[in-house]
Each structure stands twice: as structure tokens, then as C-alpha cells.
């Protein structure tokens, strides 16, 4: 079974922006393609990007 999650790098490639742009837009709530969760260790965040949300944002029909 294929994962329905997409990496930040893959999302950035499909969106045509830098990976850091994906992270920043998601943190600010400007890009609704997944979830941003705090990491258990440290002050970094984890990014969960979902294929269906990314495709919807890009206007793709699945």
C-alpha cells in the first residue's frame, strides 16, 4: 500500500517553491496541505503533508 504522505522536498518541487517556503507557509497557516506538529525533542517541528490535500491545492483531481 502506498503512503498518502509526501515529503517536504517533494511538495516543494510540485509547488515550485523552496522547502523552507513550504515549512514557513504551513507554520503560518497559509498552506493547508497537512499538519505541523512540535517535535518531542527540541524546538523543531514535524511536517505531515498529505497527498490528497496537496493535489487539491494544486487543482488535481484524484
Amino acid at each position: 500500500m502506498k503512503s498518502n504522505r509526501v515529503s517536504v522536498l517533494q511538495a516543494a518541487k510540485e509547488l515550485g517553491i523552496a522547502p523552507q517556503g513550504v515549512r514557513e507557509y504551513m507554520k503560518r497557516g497559509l498552506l493547508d496541505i497537512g499538519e505541523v506538529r512540535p517535535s518531542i525533542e527540541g524546538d523543531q517541528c514535524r511536517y505531515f503533508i498529505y497527498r490528497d490535500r496537496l493535489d487539491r491545492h494544486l487543482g488535481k483531481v484524484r
Side-chain angles (χ1 to χ4, degrees):
M1 183 174 172
K2 288 176 77 174
S3 172
N4 66 344
R5 288 191 17 209
V6 178
S7 71
V8 171
L9 293 177
Q10 182 62 38
K13 182 178 177 182
E14 292 185 36
L15 291 165
I17 61 176
Q20 189 58 33
V22 172
R23 293 181 192 100
E24 287 298 322
Y25 290 149
M26 286 183 72
K27 278 197 279 191
R28 295 178 189 180
L30 301 173
L31 194 54
D32 184 23
I33 58 173
E35 303 172 28
V36 181
R37 299 181 189 164
S39 179
I40 294 171
E41 61 282 324
D43 58 349
Q44 295 183 4
C45 294
R46 296 181 66 197
Y47 299 86
F48 294 85
I49 300 170
Y50 302 108
R51 170 53 60 196
D52 60 338
R53 289 192 192 182
L54 178 59
D55 285 350
R56 193 175 326 123
H57 180 80
L58 293 170
K60 294 182 182 178
V61 178
R62 283 186 65 73

